[in-house]
Amino acid sequence: MTRMDYNLNSRNQVSLTYSYNMYNAVPDVLNSVVPIYPGTGDILGSTVATGQTSNRFMGTIALRSTITSHLTNAFQGGLNGGTVVFGAGASSPANYSEWKGYIPSFAIGLPSGISSETAPQRRNDPVKQFSDTLSWLKGTHMVTIGGDFAQINYWGQYFGSETFPTVTFAIASGDPVHTGSTDVFNTTAMPGATQTYMDNAAALYATLTGRVSAIGRQVVENETTHQYGNAPLINRDQQRQFGFFVQDQWRVAPNLTFSLGVRFEEQGPPKNLSGTYTASTIQAVYGISGIGNMFKPGVTTGGMTPVAGGAAYAPAIPAFQQLSTMNAYNVPNSWDPNVGLAWQIPTSNGLLRALLGDHTGSSVLRAGFSISTIRENIAQLSSMYGSNPGLTYPASVDPVNYPSVFGQPGSVLFSQATLPVMPTPTAPTYPMNTSPSTSINAFDPNLKLGYVESWNVGFQREFAHNNVIEIRYQGNHEV
C-alpha cells in the first residue's frame, strides 16, 4: 500500500492512495478444491492443481481546498475491484478428454467423482465512487452541502454443463438387464444374495460397461449473438446511485449545539448489460391465486382457470419478457433526516455539583437520531432475474422422461460414437410462457429501499481534569 500527500499551494492539498493485494490459494482448502485422490491432481488421471487466485486493488484521490477563511471544499474519488478466479486450471474440456469431454458419475465406486472442481468461475465487481462536500461557516452556523455518486458493476463467467456435460453410469428404471423376466441379477445367478447385493452388482455392471442412464446438459444464451450455444454463462450487471445532502450545525448558545440535516437518496434500476435476463411480473408469480392470496386453497382471482384433466393453467401465462429499463424494478427514492444535539451542562451546587462537575463543560449530554438507506448487493439482480428462464435452456436427457430422444433404458453405452443430444431452440423467443414447474422470480413493485433507524444518547463526564468517562446507548432498527 502506498500513500502520497502533496500541498499544491497554501490553499490546496491533494492525497493519493493505492493498495494491491495478490491472493493465491492452491490447493483451495476453503472450497475443498484439493487432489481428488492420493497420487493424482484435482482431476482424476491428471496433474492439474487449481484453486482460487485473485488480484485486488483500490485507489483513491482527495483534494481539499480552502476557498476562503469561511469556505472549504473536499472532493474524493475512488475505484476498487479485482478479478477472482476459481478453478482456472480446470476450465478446459480437454481436461476431460478421457471421458469424451463429459464429467461422469457412478452408481457405485469412486464416491468423490473424478474432479474436485466441476464449476470453475471468474468474478469481478468494480466500484467507482465520487463525492464532494462544501462547508460554509456563517456566524453561529456551519452549513454543509454535498453529494456523491457510485457505480457498481458486476461481471461473472460461470462454467457449467454447457461446457462440461455430465453422464451418469447406472441402471435406469426399466432397463431390461435388471428388470422383470430378463433380469440377469437374480437369485439363480447369485444364490443366497439379498436384493441389496443384487442391486449393487447391477450398478457395478453399469459402471464397468459404461451403461448410460442420464446425460446432463444445458445451453447458454450468448451475450453478443443472443443465440444458444455451449459457451460459458456470462453476467454483466450494473447499478448506479447518487445522493445529495444538506446539514446545518447551529451553535444555539455557548454551551448548546443543535444539528439538523436531510439526505436525498436515489438508486437507479439494476441493469443487465448483456441483455440476457428475463423479467416477470408479480401477477405471474401469484398466478391463478391472484396477488397476495397465499395459502388460500380454492381462491382463483388471478384470472387463469384450471382445466380438468389437462394443463394446470389455461391459457398459458405469458410470464417472461426480455429485461429492459421499461420492466426492470425501479427503486423508489428516499429522504433521510438526521438530528442531534450536544449540551454542555451548566455547573450547579450541592449534590449536582459533585455529580456534574465544578464548571460548565465538565459534563456533556449528547443525543441524536438518523435514518440511513441500504444498498442491497448487486447479486440480488442476478439471483432474481438470472433465475428466470431464457438465460439458459435445459437439454438434459434420459430414457424415462425423453425416450424419443434417448432411446429405451439400457440402449445407450458410453462406448458409442455418438450420445443422445436433446434438440434445443436456436435463441430465446418472447414472450415466454410458463408451466406449473417453471421458476418465476420478480420484485414486488411496492418494495421500497431498506433503511436503518439509529438513535443514541450519551453522557460524558470529566474527572481529574485529564480523564473522561462516557456512558452511551446506541440503538439500531433495520426496516
Side-chain angles (χ1 to χ4, degrees), residues 268-323:
K271 297 179 182 179
N272 174 235
L273 304 181
S274 304
T276 54
Y277 287 169
T278 55
S280 189
T281 63
I282 196 69
Q283 290 87 352
V285 171
Y286 281 98
I288 190 174
S289 299
I291 297 176
N293 293 324
M294 296 183 67
F295 311 113
K296 296 181 180 180
V299 176
T300 57
T301 61
M304 281 68 69
T305 56
V307 176
Y313 303 118
I317 311 169
F320 304 102
Q321 296 283 353
Q322 188 172 19
L323 178 67

Side-chain angles (χ1 to χ4, degrees), residues 14 41 57 76 82 118 146 199 224-225 284 320 362 375 385 389 426 440 445-446:
V14 65
F57 64 89
Q76 291 182 311
T118 59
D199 291 342
T224 303
T225 65
F320 304 102
S362 294
R375 179 182 61 80
Y385 293 126
T426 57
I440 305 176
N446 299 314

Side-chain angles (χ1 to χ4, degrees), residues 104 318 400 461:
V400 176
R461 173 69 160 87

Side-chain angles (χ1 to χ4, degrees), residues 158 160-165 216-222 226-234 276 388-396 421-428:
Y158 301 90
S161 61
E162 76 292 326
T163 308
F164 309 114
R217 179 173 165 261
Q218 67 177 5
V219 289
V220 172
E221 182 183 356
N222 184 280
H226 295 288
Q227 303 288 305
Y228 283 129
N230 299 323
L233 184 153
I234 292 180
T276 54
N388 285 331
L391 177 58
T392 62
Y393 191 91
S396 298
V421 176
M422 173 70 78
T424 58
T426 57

